[in-house]
Amino acid sequence: MLGPSGRWWAVDGRIRRVIERIVQFLSDPGGASFEELALAVFAFQYERIEPYRKLCDGRGAVPGQIADWRRVPLVPAAAFKRLRLAAAAEREVFRSSGTSAGEEARSVHYHPYPDLYRQTIDAAFPRWCLPGDGAAPVPMLSLVPTREQVPDSSLAFMIDHVLASYGAPAPASVAAIGKRGLEVVPARSWAAAVQRAGRPALVLATSLALAQWLDALERQDLRFRLPPGSAVFETGGFKGRAGEVSPARQRQRLEERLAVPAAAVVREYGMTELTSQCYTRALQGGDPDLFFAPHWVRVRVLDPETLEEVPPGKPGLLAVFDLANLGSAAHLLTEDLGVAEVGEAGGDGEAGGGFRLLGRAAGAELR
């Protein structure tokens, strides 16, 4: 437990000890309380991140005097565009995709602990996103730029790890995004090969790339039948691009062109400024538009004016406490609007309830 100063790690191996406790919690939520770890992360970041310490001091919030993780000072997502929020030297640098406003509009996440990032993927992705029992490598089609193409993309980092850890080797798995965007021919060839093989497969795609592929299939009047048990992992939005379609329409088109039912489309909520991701539970029979956080993450909906938590059913700004964001800012105020739903806690320590996305807050820049 934390002492009065909140510096329980100060004697020896302070960074290693904090990370080890978080890693243990990823696999065993019963081994510690979220509250205890959240306050430890707060103290760690207060000690090591000067801009955050100044923010906390300005609000009169210091370790040892806060007993509720909800009262740990929030960091606006926009701070990642202006401040260097890093508890140690970065080993990876992730940048948001930005907008026409230029380089200064991009969030920058200086990430000291990429191995912790990989461990969060391993603790959540196979459970909620992989088709079948996950015992064998899965044929995958990636419609996400590679790390070689965008080395500062956190999504590319994630998909690179997923392909290496869970994807069947080439040619069973294919990346079909090139320098000019979607490569229709490799994607089409992959779908045909998977259809012939009869083995459940997984498509990894941004919403935009997925829509572009479906557009291409429609123009060519092509239809494939991905084998039963196949799934689609969809993330990201359209970032203001023309031709945006709703999630429901996207699922309908997937069924028409690839024979993938709506119940096999998993959506992800993530952002450059965070380490962990939230997923829908479509493969487990859940609502296709209801997101759940893993047990080491808490998501709340706050009143935009007071920043107080609002009851389920009332819209507000999403606030995320991500223990795995140890190296930057664990308690983040996003620019995304959402609404929480009532639900019971899960058996693995999850907070339960879930949330729905409602879009961006008025005046918020496109991520």
Side-chain angles (χ1 to χ4, degrees), residues 12 24 91 97 140 247 315 350:
D12 179 51
Q24 182 181 19
R91 292 176 57 198
S97 56
M140 295 185 184
E350 292 172 336

Side-chain angles (χ1 to χ4, degrees), residues 5-342:
S5 68
R7 300 181 184 180
W8 56 266
W9 64 82
V11 177
D12 179 51
R14 49 187 176 180
I15 297 177
R16 176 183 55 79
R17 189 174 174 186
V18 178
I19 292 176
E20 284 179 350
R21 296 193 73 198
I22 293 174
V23 169
Q24 182 181 19
F25 190 69
L26 297 184
S27 59
D28 179 19
S33 73
F34 180 88
E35 184 92 79
E36 176 190 358
L37 290 175
L39 295 179
V41 169
F42 167 47
F44 178 84
Q45 293 182 339
Y46 179 90
E47 171 78 12
R48 299 186 64 87
I49 305 174
E50 183 179 2
Y52 184 59
R53 182 167 60 251
K54 289 180 178 179
L55 180 149
C56 294
D57 288 345
R59 297 180 184 177
V62 297
Q65 297 180 10
I66 291 181
D68 184 348
W69 65 267
R70 297 169 185 82
R71 295 305 170 192
V72 171
L74 285 154
V75 175
F80 281 77
K81 299 176 183 178
R82 301 173 179 87
L83 299 175
R84 183 184 179 88
L85 299 167
E90 69 274 10
R91 292 176 57 198
E92 295 281 353
V93 178
F94 300 123
R95 292 179 174 85
S96 63
S97 56
T99 68
S100 58
E103 190 71 19
E104 68 278 2
R106 301 178 72 187
S107 289
V108 183
H109 192 168
Y110 300 96
H111 211 298
Y113 313 124
D115 286 343
L116 182 57
Y117 194 166
R118 294 184 182 96
Q119 286 167 318
T120 65
I121 298 168
D122 292 337
F125 186 92
R127 179 180 183 184
W128 304 117
C129 305
L130 283 184
D133 58 11
V138 177
M140 295 185 184
L141 171 67
S142 175
L143 302 183
V144 176
T146 66
R147 289 217 75 195
E148 183 178 357
Q149 294 165 340
V150 281
D152 60 357
S153 165
S154 58
L155 177 60
F157 178 94
M158 174 186 176
I159 298 304
D160 178 78
H161 180 72
V162 167
L163 287 168
S165 301
Y166 308 105
S173 292
V174 172
I177 293 289
K179 294 181 179 179
R180 297 184 178 180
L182 175 67
E183 296 182 331
V184 175
V185 174
R188 185 180 62 204
S189 299
W190 176 88
V194 165
Q195 178 176 279
R196 290 192 299 269
R199 180 180 169 190
L202 177 63
V203 177
L204 305 160
T206 63
S207 298
L208 177 60
L210 190 59
Q212 290 173 339
W213 188 32
L214 293 169
D215 287 344
L217 294 177
E218 288 177 357
R219 285 194 300 269
Q220 299 170 358
D221 195 22
L222 291 176
R223 288 178 171 81
F224 296 95
R225 295 193 63 81
L226 299 191
S230 296
V232 171
F233 165 90
E234 181 183 7
T235 187
F238 288 79
K239 305 186 186 303
R241 305 284 185 89
E244 180 170 351
V245 297
S246 69
R249 175 56 181 154
Q250 192 94 303
R251 291 191 290 267
Q252 181 183 7
R253 297 173 77 203
L254 282 167
E255 189 155 14
E256 291 171 353
R257 294 292 160 179
L258 297 175
V260 176
V265 182
V266 180
R267 296 176 63 200
E268 182 222 42
Y269 174 73
M271 51 197 300
T272 301
E273 299 87 347
L274 291 172
T275 297
S276 303
Q277 299 80 37
C278 301
Y279 301 107
T280 60
R281 296 181 177 176
L283 299 186
Q284 292 72 36
D287 188 317
D289 293 315
L290 187 63
F291 293 88
F292 289 86
H295 62 263
W296 60 89
V297 174
R298 295 291 184 271
V299 178
R300 296 181 297 145
V301 181
L302 308 184
D303 183 287
E305 295 184 1
T306 66
L307 295 187
E308 292 297 321
E309 193 166 353
V310 300
K314 184 175 181 180
L317 287 173
L318 296 181
V320 182
F321 201 119
D322 180 6
L323 294 179
N325 236 31
L326 174 70
S328 53
H331 205 187
L332 195 71
L333 181 65
T334 77
E335 296 173 336
D336 296 319
L337 292 171
V339 59
E341 293 210 353
V342 177

